Every structure is written in C-alpha cells, then in structure tokens.
Amino acid sequence: MEDTQVYYVDVLLPLHLPGTYTYRVPQEYNGEVQVGARVVVQFGAKNSRMYSAVVRRIHQETPQWKSKYIMAVLDTEPIVTERQMEFWEWMGRYYMCSPGDVMAVALPAGLKLASESAVAIHPDFSGELSSLTKYELMVVQLLTDHPVMRVVDISRAIGIQKIMPLIRGMIEREIVVMDEELRQRFTPRKAAYVRLNDTLLSQQQAADSSPNLGEQPDSQLKALFDDLERKKRVKQVEVLMQFLQLSHFGKEPVAKRELPQGSALQTLVKNGVLLVEERIESRLKDYSDAETTDPRSIVLNDEQQAAFSALHSPLSTHLLHGVTSSGKTEVYIKMIDEVVRDGHQALFLLPEIALTAQIINRLRKYFGNRVGVYHSRFSASERTEVWHRTLRGDYQVLLGARSAVFLPFKDLKLIIVDEEHDNSYKQFEPSPRYHARDAALYLARLWDARTVLGSATPSVETYWNAENGKYGLATITKRYGGYSLPKVECIDMKEAHRQKMAKGHFSVQLLEAIKDALDNKRQVILFQNRRGFSLRLECDDCHEVPHCVHCDVSLVYHKASNSLRCHYCGYSIPVPQECPACHSTHLKMTGVGTERIEEDLQILFPEASVARMDLDSTLQKNQYLEILSDFEHRRIDILVGTQMVTKGLDFERVSVVGIVNADNIINYPSFRSFERAFQQMTQVSGRAGRHGSGGRVIIQTYNPHHQVIANVMDNDYQGLYEEQIQERRVFRYPPFYRLIEITLKHRDADLLNSAADWMAMQLRGAFAGRVLGPEYPLVSRIRGLYLKQITLRFERTEPIADAKRVIRQIGDDLTKQDGHSGITLIYDVDPS
C-alpha cells in the first residue's frame, strides 16, 4: 500500500553551519530515505548550490517555515552509523565547531559530491534564433554540440569573462536552463574479464566430472584446438592455452590485462570462443592467499607477560609504558588476537603514515586479509572502498593515522593508540582541531571498548592520569631479548669548535662514529628538526634577511630548487644575487637544514649511500615507503630526517644515531618544549642498537648542562616528569588546567587589535582571572592575515561546557558588529 504521509528530514551538511536543516521528503521517496544515508539538497541563496547531506532524523513535525524538498536519494543503505553521528556531535561540542565541520573531515572525499553550475538548452526552447544576440547565438551553438556545459567552460569558449548576466537573461527568456550538475567522485573500479563460452564450459565441466575417463563425451574444445592447428592459427592457440592455464581450464574468469593483447585475442572474442564482461574489482591489494601465523605462537617474556596481565585490570583505559624496543607490539598483537577471536573489531592508531608500512606487515603476518588500512596517502577512491568494507564488517583490525577514528565500525572492542605522546595526533587545520588520542577515548566509551595508550615517553597528562589511578599502568623496563639501551654521549659544540674538533656542523666524534658504523656494514640515522638547505640568507654588511611577503617569517633556502621558500604559505623567490636593501653581494647562508646535512655527508662519505626523509622528499604518494624499504634492505647507509625518523621505526642494522642540533628542539617557546625535546631525542635514540648490535647516540649541543639532555642521557623519564609536573602546577598548565586558545585573524592590523581588545574585555567580564592576552603569536602574520591570540585557563575539576557556550556567544556577538564582520575566529580546545 502506497505511503501518502508527509515526512521531513533533518540533515547534516558538510559546511560550517550551527546545526541541522529541515527538508521535506517527496512522496515518491517515502520509505526510501534512511537515517545515516545521503540525500541531495539545495542550499544557499536562490538555491544556487547543491550538496549531498546525511540524514540525521526522519519525522513528521511540520516546520514553522516553508521547507524545500530533497532532490534525490543517493544511498539505499546508511553509510554513517548512529554511533558515528553521536561521535560527530560530541566532537562538535567538545572542540567548539559545528557537526558540519566534523562531517566534512570525517567522510572520505569519494562520499562527498562536487557541485558545479551547468547550463543546458531549455526543453521548451522553440529553436527560433533570429531574436538572439551574437553571444547568445554562440552559447546556443555550443550547447547544441555539447548538451551540458559548465558556465566557466562557456565563458572560456566564447571569450567573455562576465558571462553570468548573459546566462541570466537567457534563463529568464527560457532559452537555457541552469541546474547543478552533481558528480559523484567515487565510482567502483571496473575491469574487463574474459571467460569461456558457456557451451564450451559446460562441455568441459561434463568431461571433468565423467566417472569413466575412457568414455568422456567428445569435447568441442578439443575440436576447436584441432581446427585452429589445422588452419595454422598459432597465436590463437597460444592465447587460448594461456587462458585455460590461468582460468584453471575455464572454471574462473581471467582479467583481460593478463592475456596477450592483439588480434588473436580479438578474433577469439569475435568468434564467440571467449566472452568479455565488465566486473567490479577492488582497488585494494588482496591478502587472502597470504600465509598467516597463529598469534598464540608469540611467546612473551616475563615483563611482557606481566604487562599483558596488567592491561586486563577492571579499568577501561591503560597506559603501557615500555622503553624503546621493549616489545610493546607483541603485547598489542596478543590483545588484538583476544578481540578478534571473540568476533569483535580492534583499531590500531599510529601518529605517522610512515610507520604504517612496518606495522601493516607485522599485523598481516598474524591477521591476513582481516586487516584494513586507512590514511590520507590513500586515494579518495581507496579510502571510500575501505569505508564501505569497514561498514560491511569485512575488517576486524583497522590500522591508520588519526582520521581512522571516523571509520564506521561494526563492533569495536579495543583501541590501541601507539606513540600516544606524539603531536601528530593533533589536527591543526581545518576544524575540528581534535586530538585523535582524546577522541579515541570518547569513541571507546561509546563502544564500551578497552583502550591501550602505548609509549616509551608518555605525555605528562597521560602519565599523571596513570599515576593518579584514572588509567591503569603497565610497565616494561628492559629491551626485548635482554639487549641494552644505546650509549648516549653529549658533545659540547662550543668547545668542539674552540678546540677545532668539528668539521662544519659535525663534531669529530660524530664523524668517527659514522665512519666506524659504515666500516662495520652498519647504518646511521641523523636527526635535524629543520628541513631545507639553510635556514636563512643574510647580508653580511647590513644583516638584512629576505622575508615572506605574506607571512612574518624569513625565507628558507632550498638548494634543489635554488630558491628561497616560505614554509607557511609556499611563497618562493629565486636566490637574489645582491642584498635588496644595500645591494651588497656579501650574502651568506646561516643555519642548517636536512638538505644541507645530506649534501655535506655525501661529500664527507662519498662511498656511502645517503638519503633524506622529510616533508620535501616524501611529497609523492609512496615516496616514504620507497625510502624506508631502501633503508631496510640496506640500499641506504645514512638516513637524514626531521621528526619522521624519530618515530617507532625498527631497523636491525642501525648502530649510530646523531642529533645534529639539540638546541633547536629545546629552545622552542612552548610550555611543552622540554617534554617534547625529551620525547623526540629519546625516541630517535631508541632507533639504535635494537637487535643487539650495540647502539651509540651522539647529541650535539651548545648547552651540554641542560637538564633535559641529562634526562635523555640517563633515560630518566621519571625525573623529567616530576620536574614538569611541579612547574605546571605552579604556572597553571595541563594536566591541572584546561586551555582554550582563541585566534583572531584579519588583513587589517588595526581592526584586528580593536576586535581582540573588545573580545578580551568581554571574556574577562565573564571569566575573571582566567584570561591571558590578547597577544601576537610567535608568527604574527600568515598568508596575509594578522593574528592575535587569547588564552583561557579553567581548573581541571571545573565543567566547562557552559563556559564554551559563553565563549561562542561572545565570539558571535563580535562578528555581528559593524566593522568586525570580516574577523575570523578559531577556537582550539586543548592546544598542543
């Protein structure tokens, strides 16, 4: 019976909007619309744009205003689950953004539709051309040859920039119609497959199943071969034989690309011997045939077993604090195996995509095709396919970087956040500015799942929660296999230069350690937390330094492109031949980046293979995988890198790690700088001597007596933690206080100052004693916009949901004021 009732839907749009919007369901779609499925709606002034929206609620509550109709239903089944939408809504509330902001980041691009203005001939146009102007006639002629064209393409074809008035006039006279052409980005991958003619196949199957081999029916296939050989169709015989081998004598179709392409194959298809059909195939590599090992074969040592047992305490969240190379991954695999055996799902989060290659191989060794991988280096179509397969429940183990928290899980019971301290888990642009570790904790609560946070250098907040009983704590104090931690040495570069015990940026001790490692067929990792060749170009006479025209930062020299580049906006200029201020030719490079270190090492060790891993050298999709593979297979002797090389990589033959300039890390202006410096130096030190070869770590610094360096040399996390926790208690920083950072942006510095002062005054009225600023940040202008920041501090025990609402209201009031409407406001909850 036809459903004639009136229904409405509240939908989420992937836009920076405060909530949901209500649309009416056309009667023909009654029964087809589902919560979590996508529909097409018009939104914006004069219905100028179309979007795919996700249905949040279906109801029969008539809205107070006239609602538009949804235009199409895109999904027969939901693509977003109820728990996902609850997760999105929590993220919007906690991180002070809209659910649409979350949706825009959460959904893979393949599930979002691109909308472009398109023009076609009006179906009621009479065809009368005499009344048309010259340009109108050109438009009609174009649309006769191309039934649908984008406005921008018509403008380009007829040579008119301001074409919209012309198109609008033609629409009003019903000559053309403008609609929104929706293009779905994700289309299943299709490939041509070849199969045997049905008659020949049935004959072959009958022959195969005959119980008496001596009385098999005459085979048409045999007759075909005889006929081809008699006619000397040698190439057709070869193609047919190859097809039969690949198809197990016609039982399975064969991808056309696997057969020799040419006239022989075409003739067999034309004569009906072989049939070609299109099939949908996966973009993802199939591991179903790979041999797997039973995870129960992993034997844990005493410390690992004790940690494994501790992770099963009644608390839902645990910190696994294990030194580098202590075998935390084996404990993770055991935890995952328990979940998988019970038919549930596990999520394994990693901070860097570069880490996934090694972990993928280890997980697939035990779980094979049940492992799904999801990260930003996948294409839009690959990410969409992983999304659909996760929704179907094809994967039991999901591995990925921070965006993997948005996947549509079916039965999630374990979340592992490896290297939980890592700052890469924090998203900075665009909104939501979430931290994947903290978001994972809420996701686990939604699923009633267990969470394991793992690190050799936990964040101060996480360790404080473990110390105070909020999290369980499991520790591993020794390296797996009984191997010792690497020996850490500190070189005073001031003294080294004074005694002429340094060559350029390298101490003699570091160069000797590199030489010994190379002589012994070992490998070396050098860490420098600055990319580029030189940090700046400086005039030796007037000390002028070229700056970015859009940002308040100096330009960095990149030798590969022979240019000065801004690392914030990408602006670049050729290297000047003279100082633009005083025209002196006495220009010098100061500072050193990874590119310069790579070049210097190639000169100092010409026989060694040197490679660099930083943002510049890994821009292409699989470049980082190639570098890591080459290093793992010893095709690279020395690997130079930024913080990419500090993560949990495991290489057997690395015996020397060098930290070229520790002061760059320590002296960063942030309350987390000492914590981060300790984490980065300890983590990169942990790459040395992991398999018993004896490791050596050399830290170069101009401040050898710094407490952080002493903590790294002694591997004294507890000492660093106790010092940091005291400072943060005194100066009111996390974990004792929550921070909310508000950034205001505008092109006019005076207007920005006025707006920032007004907002700070309003905030002080609402939150006395909790407001810092406004003040310019370290980089006060980026991409032509001036920045000012206001920071609010709230006691950890104080609920701040109401405070967030007040902050948002003050921000909304600011942007509604005359003259302040152009101000951009950015809210960052728990800034890193």
Side-chain angles (χ1 to χ4, degrees), residues 189-252:
R189 173 181 284 179
K190 295 181 180 179
Y193 276 76
V194 178
R195 64 181 178 87
L196 195 61
N197 176 292
D198 293 335
T199 304
L200 294 173
L201 179 59
S202 60
Q203 287 274 343
Q204 183 63 32
Q205 289 172 339
D208 291 344
S209 61
S210 176
N212 190 337
L213 296 177
E215 298 180 4
Q216 290 184 0
D218 290 339
S219 169
Q220 289 189 26
L221 199 56
K222 183 177 183 304
L224 175 63
F225 271 110
D226 291 342
D227 184 53
L228 292 173
E229 288 175 352
R230 186 174 62 255
K231 293 177 179 177
K232 297 184 178 179
R233 304 287 194 263
V234 179
K235 290 197 176 294
Q236 290 184 44
V237 171
E238 289 175 355
V239 171
L240 193 53
M241 284 296 297
Q242 188 168 343
F243 166 79
L244 290 172
Q245 288 174 349
L246 292 171
S247 66
H248 303 290
F249 289 94
K251 294 176 183 175
E252 299 172 6

Coordinates of all heavy atoms in Angstrom, one line a residue, residues 189-252:
R189 N 35.8 0.6 -9.3 CA 36.7 0.3 -10.3 C 36.2 -0.9 -11.1 O 35.8 -1.9 -10.6 CB 38.1 0.0 -9.8 CG 39.1 -0.6 -10.8 CD 40.4 -0.9 -10.2 NE 41.2 0.3 -10.0 CZ 42.4 0.3 -9.4 NH1 43.0 -0.9 -9.1 NH2 43.0 1.4 -9.2
K190 N 36.2 -0.8 -12.5 CA 35.7 -1.8 -13.3 C 36.9 -2.3 -14.2 O 37.7 -1.5 -14.6 CB 34.5 -1.4 -14.2 CG 33.3 -1.0 -13.4 CD 32.1 -0.6 -14.2 CE 30.9 -0.3 -13.4 NZ 29.8 0.2 -14.2
A191 N 36.9 -3.6 -14.5 CA 37.9 -4.2 -15.4 C 37.3 -5.2 -16.2 O 36.3 -5.9 -15.9 CB 39.0 -4.8 -14.5
A192 N 37.9 -5.4 -17.4 CA 37.4 -6.4 -18.4 C 37.9 -7.8 -18.0 O 39.1 -7.9 -17.7 CB 37.8 -6.0 -19.8
Y193 N 37.0 -8.7 -17.9 CA 37.4 -10.1 -17.6 C 37.0 -11.0 -18.7 O 35.9 -10.8 -19.4 CB 36.7 -10.6 -16.3 CG 37.5 -10.2 -15.1 CD1 37.5 -8.8 -14.6 CD2 38.3 -11.1 -14.4 CE1 38.2 -8.4 -13.5 CE2 39.1 -10.7 -13.3 CZ 39.0 -9.4 -12.8 OH 39.7 -9.0 -11.7
V194 N 37.7 -12.0 -19.0 CA 37.5 -13.0 -20.1 C 37.1 -14.3 -19.5 O 37.7 -14.8 -18.5 CB 38.8 -13.1 -20.9 CG1 38.5 -14.1 -22.1 CG2 39.2 -11.8 -21.5
R195 N 36.0 -14.9 -20.0 CA 35.6 -16.2 -19.6 C 35.3 -17.1 -20.8 O 35.1 -16.6 -22.0 CB 34.4 -16.1 -18.7 CG 33.1 -15.6 -19.3 CD 32.0 -15.5 -18.3 NE 30.7 -15.0 -18.9 CZ 29.8 -15.7 -19.5 NH1 30.0 -17.0 -19.7 NH2 28.7 -15.1 -20.0
L196 N 35.2 -18.4 -20.6 CA 34.9 -19.3 -21.7 C 33.5 -19.3 -22.1 O 32.6 -19.1 -21.3 CB 35.3 -20.7 -21.2 CG 35.5 -21.8 -22.3 CD1 36.6 -21.4 -23.3 CD2 35.9 -23.1 -21.6
N197 N 33.2 -19.5 -23.4 CA 31.9 -19.6 -23.9 C 31.1 -20.6 -23.1 O 31.6 -21.7 -22.8 CB 31.9 -20.0 -25.4 CG 30.6 -20.2 -26.0 OD1 29.9 -21.2 -25.6 ND2 30.2 -19.3 -26.9
D198 N 29.8 -20.3 -22.8 CA 29.0 -21.2 -21.9 C 28.9 -22.6 -22.4 O 29.0 -23.6 -21.6 CB 27.6 -20.6 -21.7 CG 27.6 -19.3 -20.9 OD1 28.6 -19.1 -20.2 OD2 26.7 -18.5 -21.1
T199 N 28.8 -22.8 -23.7 CA 28.7 -24.1 -24.3 C 29.9 -24.9 -24.1 O 30.0 -26.1 -23.7 CB 28.3 -24.1 -25.8 OG1 27.1 -23.3 -25.9 CG2 28.1 -25.5 -26.4
L200 N 31.1 -24.3 -24.4 CA 32.4 -24.9 -24.2 C 32.6 -25.2 -22.8 O 33.2 -26.3 -22.4 CB 33.5 -24.0 -24.8 CG 33.5 -23.8 -26.3 CD1 34.5 -22.8 -26.7 CD2 33.7 -25.1 -27.1
L201 N 32.2 -24.3 -21.9 CA 32.4 -24.5 -20.5 C 31.6 -25.7 -20.0 O 32.2 -26.6 -19.2 CB 32.0 -23.3 -19.7 CG 32.2 -23.3 -18.2 CD1 33.6 -23.6 -17.8 CD2 31.7 -22.0 -17.5
S202 N 30.4 -25.8 -20.4 CA 29.6 -27.0 -19.9 C 30.1 -28.3 -20.4 O 30.1 -29.3 -19.7 CB 28.1 -26.8 -20.3 OG 28.0 -26.7 -21.7
Q203 N 30.6 -28.3 -21.7 CA 31.2 -29.5 -22.2 C 32.4 -29.9 -21.4 O 32.6 -31.1 -21.1 CB 31.6 -29.2 -23.7 CG 30.5 -29.2 -24.7 CD 30.1 -30.6 -25.2 OE1 30.8 -31.5 -25.0 NE2 28.9 -30.7 -25.7
Q204 N 33.3 -28.9 -21.1 CA 34.5 -29.1 -20.3 C 34.1 -29.6 -18.9 O 34.8 -30.6 -18.4 CB 35.3 -27.8 -20.2 CG 36.6 -28.0 -19.5 CD 37.6 -28.9 -20.2 OE1 37.6 -29.0 -21.4 NE2 38.4 -29.7 -19.4
Q205 N 33.1 -29.0 -18.3 CA 32.7 -29.5 -16.9 C 32.2 -30.9 -17.0 O 32.4 -31.7 -16.1 CB 31.6 -28.5 -16.4 CG 32.2 -27.2 -16.0 CD 31.1 -26.2 -15.6 OE1 30.0 -26.3 -16.0 NE2 31.5 -25.1 -14.9
A206 N 31.4 -31.2 -18.0 CA 30.9 -32.6 -18.2 C 32.1 -33.6 -18.3 O 32.1 -34.7 -17.7 CB 30.0 -32.7 -19.4
A207 N 33.1 -33.2 -19.1 CA 34.3 -34.1 -19.2 C 35.0 -34.3 -17.9 O 35.4 -35.4 -17.6 CB 35.2 -33.5 -20.3
D208 N 35.1 -33.2 -17.2 CA 35.8 -33.2 -15.9 C 35.1 -34.1 -14.9 O 35.8 -34.8 -14.1 CB 36.0 -31.8 -15.3 CG 37.0 -31.0 -16.1 OD1 37.7 -31.5 -16.9 OD2 36.9 -29.7 -16.0
S209 N 33.8 -34.1 -14.9 CA 33.0 -34.9 -13.9 C 32.7 -36.3 -14.4 O 32.1 -37.0 -13.6 CB 31.7 -34.1 -13.6 OG 30.9 -34.0 -14.8
S210 N 33.0 -36.7 -15.6 CA 32.7 -38.1 -16.1 C 33.5 -39.1 -15.2 O 34.7 -39.0 -15.0 CB 33.2 -38.2 -17.5 OG 33.0 -39.5 -17.9
P211 N 32.8 -40.1 -14.7 CA 33.4 -41.1 -13.8 C 34.3 -42.0 -14.6 O 35.3 -42.5 -14.0 CB 32.2 -41.8 -13.2 CG 31.1 -41.7 -14.2 CD 31.3 -40.3 -14.8
N212 N 34.1 -42.2 -15.8 CA 34.9 -43.1 -16.6 C 35.7 -42.3 -17.6 O 35.2 -41.7 -18.6 CB 34.0 -44.1 -17.4 CG 34.8 -45.2 -18.0 OD1 36.0 -45.0 -18.3 ND2 34.1 -46.3 -18.3
L213 N 37.0 -42.2 -17.3 CA 37.8 -41.3 -18.2 C 37.9 -41.8 -19.6 O 38.2 -41.1 -20.5 CB 39.2 -41.2 -17.6 CG 39.3 -40.5 -16.2 CD1 40.7 -40.6 -15.7 CD2 38.8 -39.1 -16.3
G214 N 37.7 -43.1 -19.8 CA 37.7 -43.7 -21.1 C 36.5 -43.4 -22.0 O 36.5 -43.7 -23.2
E215 N 35.4 -43.0 -21.3 CA 34.2 -42.7 -22.1 C 33.7 -41.3 -21.9 O 32.5 -41.0 -21.8 CB 33.1 -43.7 -21.5 CG 33.5 -45.1 -21.8 CD 32.4 -46.1 -21.2 OE1 31.3 -45.5 -20.8 OE2 32.6 -47.3 -21.3
Q216 N 34.6 -40.3 -21.9 CA 34.2 -38.9 -21.8 C 33.6 -38.5 -23.1 O 33.9 -38.9 -24.2 CB 35.5 -38.0 -21.6 CG 36.0 -38.2 -20.2 CD 37.2 -37.3 -20.0 OE1 37.5 -36.5 -20.8 NE2 37.8 -37.3 -18.8
P217 N 32.6 -37.6 -23.0 CA 32.0 -37.1 -24.3 C 33.0 -36.3 -25.1 O 33.9 -35.8 -24.6 CB 30.9 -36.1 -23.7 CG 31.3 -35.8 -22.3 CD 32.1 -36.9 -21.8
D218 N 32.7 -36.3 -26.4 CA 33.5 -35.6 -27.3 C 33.6 -34.1 -26.9 O 32.6 -33.5 -26.7 CB 33.0 -35.7 -28.8 CG 33.2 -37.1 -29.3 OD1 34.1 -37.8 -28.8 OD2 32.5 -37.4 -30.3
S219 N 34.8 -33.6 -26.8 CA 34.9 -32.2 -26.4 C 35.0 -31.2 -27.5 O 35.8 -31.4 -28.5 CB 36.2 -32.1 -25.6 OG 36.5 -30.8 -25.3
Q220 N 34.1 -30.3 -27.5 CA 34.1 -29.2 -28.6 C 35.4 -28.4 -28.5 O 35.9 -27.9 -29.4 CB 32.9 -28.3 -28.4 CG 31.6 -28.9 -28.8 CD 30.5 -27.9 -28.8 OE1 30.7 -26.7 -29.0 NE2 29.2 -28.3 -28.6
L221 N 35.9 -28.3 -27.2 CA 37.2 -27.6 -27.0 C 38.3 -28.3 -27.7 O 39.2 -27.6 -28.4 CB 37.5 -27.5 -25.5 CG 38.5 -26.4 -25.1 CD1 38.0 -25.0 -25.5 CD2 38.6 -26.4 -23.6
K222 N 38.4 -29.6 -27.7 CA 39.4 -30.3 -28.4 C 39.3 -30.1 -29.9 O 40.2 -29.9 -30.6 CB 39.3 -31.8 -28.0 CG 40.4 -32.7 -28.7 CD 40.3 -34.1 -28.2 CE 41.4 -35.0 -28.8 NZ 41.5 -35.0 -30.2
A223 N 38.0 -30.2 -30.3 CA 37.8 -30.0 -31.8 C 38.2 -28.6 -32.2 O 38.8 -28.4 -33.3 CB 36.3 -30.2 -32.1
L224 N 38.0 -27.6 -31.3 CA 38.4 -26.3 -31.6 C 39.9 -26.2 -31.8 O 40.4 -25.5 -32.7 CB 37.9 -25.3 -30.5 CG 38.4 -23.9 -30.6 CD1 37.8 -23.2 -31.9 CD2 37.9 -23.1 -29.4
F225 N 40.6 -26.8 -30.8 CA 42.1 -26.8 -30.9 C 42.6 -27.5 -32.2 O 43.5 -27.0 -32.9 CB 42.7 -27.5 -29.7 CG 43.0 -26.6 -28.6 CD1 42.2 -26.7 -27.4 CD2 44.0 -25.6 -28.6 CE1 42.4 -25.8 -26.3 CE2 44.2 -24.8 -27.6 CZ 43.4 -24.9 -26.4
D226 N 41.9 -28.6 -32.6 CA 42.3 -29.3 -33.8 C 42.1 -28.4 -35.0 O 43.0 -28.3 -35.9 CB 41.5 -30.6 -34.0 CG 41.9 -31.6 -32.9 OD1 43.0 -31.5 -32.3 OD2 41.1 -32.5 -32.7
D227 N 41.0 -27.7 -35.0 CA 40.7 -26.8 -36.2 C 41.7 -25.7 -36.3 O 42.1 -25.3 -37.4 CB 39.2 -26.3 -36.0 CG 38.8 -25.4 -37.2 OD1 38.9 -25.9 -38.3 OD2 38.4 -24.3 -37.0
L228 N 42.0 -25.1 -35.1 CA 43.0 -23.9 -35.1 C 44.3 -24.4 -35.6 O 45.0 -23.7 -36.3 CB 43.0 -23.3 -33.7 CG 41.8 -22.5 -33.2 CD1 42.0 -22.1 -31.8 CD2 41.5 -21.3 -34.1
E229 N 44.7 -25.6 -35.1 CA 46.0 -26.1 -35.5 C 46.1 -26.4 -37.0 O 47.1 -26.2 -37.7 CB 46.4 -27.3 -34.7 CG 46.8 -26.9 -33.3 CD 47.0 -28.1 -32.4 OE1 46.7 -29.3 -32.9 OE2 47.4 -28.0 -31.2
R230 N 45.0 -27.0 -37.5 CA 44.9 -27.3 -38.9 C 45.0 -26.1 -39.8 O 45.6 -26.0 -40.9 CB 43.6 -28.1 -39.2 CG 43.5 -28.6 -40.7 CD 42.3 -29.5 -40.9 NE 41.0 -28.7 -40.7 CZ 40.2 -28.9 -39.6 NH1 40.6 -29.7 -38.7 NH2 39.1 -28.1 -39.5
K231 N 44.4 -24.9 -39.3 CA 44.4 -23.7 -40.1 C 45.7 -22.9 -39.7 O 45.8 -21.7 -40.2 CB 43.2 -22.9 -39.7 CG 41.9 -23.5 -40.2 CD 40.7 -22.7 -39.8 CE 39.4 -23.3 -40.3 NZ 38.2 -22.5 -39.9
K232 N 46.5 -23.4 -38.9 CA 47.8 -22.8 -38.5 C 47.6 -21.4 -37.8 O 48.3 -20.5 -38.1 CB 48.7 -22.6 -39.7 CG 49.1 -24.0 -40.3 CD 50.1 -23.8 -41.5 CE 50.5 -25.2 -42.0 NZ 51.5 -25.0 -43.2
R233 N 46.6 -21.4 -37.0 CA 46.3 -20.2 -36.2 C 47.1 -20.3 -34.9 O 46.6 -20.5 -33.8 CB 44.8 -20.0 -35.8 CG 43.9 -20.0 -37.1 CD 44.1 -18.7 -37.8 NE 43.0 -18.5 -38.8 CZ 43.1 -18.8 -40.1 NH1 44.3 -19.2 -40.6 NH2 42.1 -18.6 -40.9
V234 N 48.4 -20.2 -35.0 CA 49.4 -20.5 -33.9 C 49.1 -19.5 -32.7 O 49.1 -19.9 -31.6 CB 50.8 -20.4 -34.4 CG1 51.8 -20.6 -33.2 CG2 51.1 -21.4 -35.5
K235 N 49.0 -18.2 -33.0 CA 48.8 -17.2 -31.9 C 47.5 -17.4 -31.2 O 47.4 -17.2 -30.0 CB 48.9 -15.8 -32.5 CG 50.3 -15.4 -33.0 CD 50.5 -13.9 -33.1 CE 51.9 -13.5 -33.5 NZ 52.9 -13.8 -32.4
Q236 N 46.5 -17.8 -31.9 CA 45.2 -18.1 -31.2 C 45.3 -19.3 -30.3 O 44.7 -19.3 -29.2 CB 44.1 -18.3 -32.3 CG 43.7 -17.0 -33.0 CD 42.5 -17.2 -33.9 OE1 41.5 -17.9 -33.6 NE2 42.6 -16.7 -35.2
V237 N 46.0 -20.3 -30.7 CA 46.2 -21.5 -29.9 C 47.0 -21.1 -28.6 O 46.7 -21.5 -27.5 CB 47.0 -22.6 -30.7 CG1 47.4 -23.7 -29.8 CG2 46.2 -23.1 -31.8
E238 N 48.0 -20.2 -28.8 CA 48.8 -19.8 -27.6 C 48.0 -19.0 -26.7 O 48.1 -19.2 -25.4 CB 50.0 -18.9 -28.1 CG 51.1 -19.7 -28.9 CD 52.2 -18.8 -29.4 OE1 52.0 -17.6 -29.3 OE2 53.2 -19.4 -30.0
V239 N 47.2 -18.1 -27.2 CA 46.3 -17.3 -26.3 C 45.3 -18.2 -25.6 O 45.1 -18.0 -24.3 CB 45.6 -16.2 -27.1 CG1 44.5 -15.5 -26.2 CG2 46.6 -15.1 -27.6
L240 N 44.7 -19.1 -26.3 CA 43.7 -20.0 -25.7 C 44.3 -20.9 -24.6 O 43.7 -21.1 -23.6 CB 43.0 -20.8 -26.8 CG 41.7 -21.6 -26.4 CD1 40.7 -20.6 -25.8 CD2 41.1 -22.3 -27.6
M241 N 45.5 -21.4 -24.9 CA 46.2 -22.2 -23.9 C 46.6 -21.4 -22.7 O 46.4 -21.9 -21.5 CB 47.5 -22.8 -24.5 CG 47.3 -24.0 -25.5 SD 46.6 -25.4 -24.7 CE 47.9 -25.8 -23.5
Q242 N 47.0 -20.2 -22.9 CA 47.3 -19.3 -21.7 C 46.1 -19.0 -20.9 O 46.1 -19.1 -19.7 CB 48.0 -18.1 -22.2 CG 48.6 -17.2 -21.0 CD 49.4 -16.1 -21.5 OE1 49.9 -16.1 -22.6 NE2 49.7 -15.1 -20.7
F243 N 45.0 -18.8 -21.6 CA 43.7 -18.5 -20.9 C 43.3 -19.8 -20.1 O 42.9 -19.6 -18.9 CB 42.6 -18.2 -21.9 CG 41.2 -18.2 -21.3 CD1 40.8 -17.2 -20.5 CD2 40.4 -19.3 -21.5 CE1 39.5 -17.2 -19.9 CE2 39.2 -19.4 -20.9 CZ 38.7 -18.3 -20.1
L244 N 43.4 -20.9 -20.6 CA 43.0 -22.1 -19.9 C 43.8 -22.4 -18.7 O 43.3 -22.9 -17.7 CB 43.0 -23.3 -20.9 CG 41.9 -23.3 -22.0 CD1 42.2 -24.5 -23.0 CD2 40.5 -23.5 -21.4
Q245 N 45.1 -22.1 -18.8 CA 46.0 -22.3 -17.7 C 45.7 -21.3 -16.5 O 45.6 -21.7 -15.4 CB 47.5 -22.1 -18.1 CG 48.0 -23.2 -18.9 CD 49.4 -22.9 -19.5 OE1 49.9 -21.8 -19.4 NE2 50.1 -23.9 -20.0
L246 N 45.5 -20.1 -16.9 CA 45.1 -19.0 -15.9 C 43.8 -19.2 -15.3 O 43.5 -18.9 -14.1 CB 45.2 -17.6 -16.5 CG 46.6 -17.2 -16.9 CD1 46.6 -15.9 -17.7 CD2 47.5 -17.0 -15.6
S247 N 42.8 -19.8 -16.1 CA 41.4 -19.9 -15.6 C 41.2 -21.3 -15.0 O 40.0 -21.6 -14.7 CB 40.5 -19.7 -16.8 OG 40.6 -20.7 -17.7
H248 N 42.2 -22.1 -14.8 CA 42.0 -23.5 -14.3 C 41.0 -24.2 -15.2 O 40.0 -24.8 -14.8 CB 41.6 -23.5 -12.9 CG 42.5 -22.8 -12.0 ND1 43.7 -23.3 -11.6 CD2 42.4 -21.6 -11.3 CE1 44.3 -22.4 -10.8 NE2 43.6 -21.4 -10.6
F249 N 41.3 -24.2 -16.6 CA 40.5 -24.8 -17.6 C 39.1 -24.3 -17.6 O 38.1 -25.1 -17.6 CB 40.6 -26.4 -17.5 CG 41.9 -26.9 -17.8 CD1 42.9 -27.1 -16.9 CD2 42.2 -27.2 -19.2 CE1 44.1 -27.6 -17.2 CE2 43.5 -27.7 -19.5 CZ 44.5 -27.9 -18.5
G250 N 39.0 -23.0 -17.6 CA 37.7 -22.3 -17.8 C 36.8 -22.2 -16.6 O 35.8 -21.6 -16.7
K251 N 37.3 -22.6 -15.4 CA 36.5 -22.5 -14.2 C 36.4 -21.1 -13.6 O 35.4 -20.8 -13.0 CB 37.1 -23.5 -13.1 CG 37.0 -25.0 -13.5 CD 37.7 -25.8 -12.5 CE 37.7 -27.3 -12.9 NZ 38.4 -28.1 -11.9
E252 N 37.4 -20.3 -13.9 CA 37.4 -18.9 -13.3 C 37.7 -17.9 -14.4 O 38.4 -18.2 -15.4 CB 38.5 -18.8 -12.2 CG 38.3 -19.7 -11.1 CD 39.5 -19.7 -10.1 OE1 40.4 -18.9 -10.4 OE2 39.5 -20.5 -9.2

